[in-house]
Amino acid sequence: MSKTQLESAKAGIVTKEMVEASQGEELTPEEIRDYIANGWVVIPKNKNRSVKNVKAIGKGLRTKVNANLGTSDEKADLDFEKRKLEAAIKAGTDSVMDLSTGGDLNKAREFFLENSPVMVGAVPIYGIASEMARKGRNVEEMTEEMIFDSIEQQCRQGVDYITVHCGVTQETAARLKYAERIMPCVSRGGSITLRWMRKNKKENPLYEHFDELLKIAHKYDVTLSLGDGFRPGTVLDAIDGPQISELLILGELAKRAREKGVQVIIEGPGHVPLEHIKPHVRLEKKLCNEAPFYVLGPLPTDIAPGYDHITAAIGGAVAAAAGVDFLCYVTPAEHLGLPDEKDVYLGVMAARIAAHVGDVSKGIKSAIERDRAMSVARQNLNWEEMARQALDGELLRCRAHIAQDKEACTMCGKLCAVKLSRTED
């Protein structure tokens, strides 16, 4: 059996994926190898999938962005998903996750795996729960065998990384009783797992049989994204017993995974007040031995439905600056409905802005140089160069209104500060 990326790194081997992932980064392939060996960097790449755009996530690298796509039981249209995927790729996403819960789930997954030029993630338990609901059965009727069979099936198909809610345990669930949360559980995967445990009065199979999960992940070199089933769903529930106890367990499981040659990402919140984002990132890094940190948002306020891509960009910038490695986008449709292609595009762009702001703060040279190049172009009133440096050059070209002098814009016209402050020869 061939080595996983982690096993290769520990053996001192530089793989072709490490070389490819170093393109556009400031780490050499050898540095990426060493960081993977330490558990600080991952390359989500299934052995069964060919992808040209191999990316690494973690310490010393550019902050990456993910776009959640997929059907629902209210709208299962692969043409619609195709438009969303195209929008995500056009906006510059580094990853997509198939969160489909409606229609033919295998067909949807195959569509994303065949058509996405970037890494593809999934949440296997969504597929099982959706099939149960379609047959009129309750999620607690799932068997442990069904859960692991579904995980293996999806890994065999080629998914690069999977979210698994292994930290939702009897121990962490018991803390909900004393947490006095407004919203006890807002994670879909976490709530499915919680209900299964309560109804069956049994431990979470993914925690109890974690070694079985590791065998599957190792077989296909699938990266485990350890999900935060008890992430806060409101800023008023942030940083409490269930959330922190789950994080402690995820840190322990991450260590076990690395020992078995399996790469690991840690997932984080969620809704968090702005002042708590940086300390929370530092806590995760400490408890999980600098494992790559993947956050949804985070959202520092709950009152902006319709604008939550902006809310998430604010929290995401703070999180990325503090050391978060992977931002999951939030679209304007968050909390309101299934996003369309426009929502997807805006969500990816907002997350990319946050990622870039974080990279500048982290001292990523390429990010700083891009800001420098934009500033020089502005000083020279070089609109074409501004478009090349902009995250969305197409938008700049559409929105730029040039004054009569063909240099300044219509905001200032003859009173353009750049022109007025130029030193005359």
Side-chain angles (χ1 to χ4, degrees), residues 40-154:
W40 303 340
V41 165
V42 298
I43 297 179
K45 165 68 172 62
N46 191 307
K47 289 180 178 179
N48 285 355
R49 183 166 182 256
S50 297
V51 59
K52 297 178 181 178
N53 230 330
V54 176
K55 297 285 180 72
I57 302 168
K59 187 175 182 178
L61 302 168
R62 293 181 299 103
T63 306
K64 304 305 188 298
V65 168
N66 171 66
N68 287 340
L69 306 175
T71 63
S72 77
D73 57 0
E74 296 288 334
K75 188 174 180 66
D77 180 348
L78 287 187
D79 287 335
F80 183 54
E81 294 306 316
K82 182 175 184 290
R83 296 196 299 272
K84 288 160 61 178
L85 175 61
E86 290 170 347
I89 299 304
K90 181 181 179 181
T93 194
D94 300 294
S95 162
V96 297
M97 288 197 81
D98 173 23
L99 306 187
S100 294
T101 57
D104 187 330
L105 303 184
N106 279 325
K107 188 175 181 180
R109 197 174 307 115
E110 288 171 1
F111 164 78
F112 286 112
L113 288 169
E114 290 172 3
N115 291 280
S116 171
V118 298
M119 66 183 96
V120 175
V123 187
I125 202 166
Y126 286 6
I128 318 166
S130 299
E131 292 295 341
M132 299 292 286
R134 187 176 307 175
K135 295 174 182 177
R137 300 171 63 187
N138 296 319
V139 295
E140 59 267 24
E141 295 178 57
M142 289 187 295
T143 65
E144 296 180 10
E145 184 180 21
M146 289 168 61
I147 294 171
F148 285 102
D149 283 349
S150 180
I151 290 172
E152 173 125 30
Q153 177 198 4
Q154 295 187 37

Side-chain angles (χ1 to χ4, degrees), residues 329-384:
Y329 83 167
V330 174
T331 78
E334 186 77 9
H335 303 111
L336 301 174
L338 192 68
D340 61 18
E341 57 266 44
K342 181 179 179 181
D343 294 321
V344 167
Y345 189 86
L346 290 174
V348 172
M349 291 306 307
R352 287 188 64 207
I353 292 168
H356 180 82
V357 171
D359 287 348
V360 170
S361 182
K362 289 174 182 173
I364 300 293
K365 292 179 182 178
S366 60
I368 296 168
E369 286 306 311
R370 189 166 182 176
D371 274 332
R372 185 188 303 280
M374 174 62 88
S375 300
V376 171
R378 282 178 171 160
Q379 176 61 26
N380 294 332
L381 295 175
N382 185 338
W383 292 93
E384 188 53 39

Side-chain angles (χ1 to χ4, degrees), residues 256-292:
R256 287 173 58 185
R258 293 191 198 101
E259 290 171 352
K260 296 293 186 179
V262 175
Q263 299 182 102
V264 173
I265 298 170
I266 306 296
E267 294 189 14
H271 296 240
V272 184
L274 201 66
E275 70 273 18
H276 290 309
I277 293 175
K278 186 175 181 180
H280 191 73
V281 174
R282 288 180 171 176
L283 180 64
E284 182 276 341
K285 290 290 184 176
K286 176 67 175 176
L287 295 177
C288 302
N289 188 37
E290 296 289 324

Side-chain angles (χ1 to χ4, degrees), residues 97 99 122-127 147 151 162-170 172-173 185-194 196-197 203-208 210 213 224-231 246 249-250 253 265 267-268 294 296:
M97 288 197 81
L99 306 187
V123 187
I125 202 166
Y126 286 6
I147 294 171
I151 290 172
I162 56 172
T163 293
V164 280
H165 298 86
C166 307
V168 177
T169 66
Q170 295 287 4
T172 53
C185 186
V186 299
S187 161
R188 184 158 53 185
S191 65
I192 292 169
T193 305
L194 181 63
W196 189 94
M197 288 163 49
E203 184 57 274
N204 178 357
L206 296 179
Y207 176 73
E208 187 173 19
F210 189 64
L213 176 61
L224 294 183
S225 188
L226 300 180
D228 53 336
F230 290 131
R231 68 174 181 265
E246 182 179 25
I249 289 173
L250 297 186
L253 294 178
I265 298 170
E267 294 189 14
Y294 176 30
L296 177 65

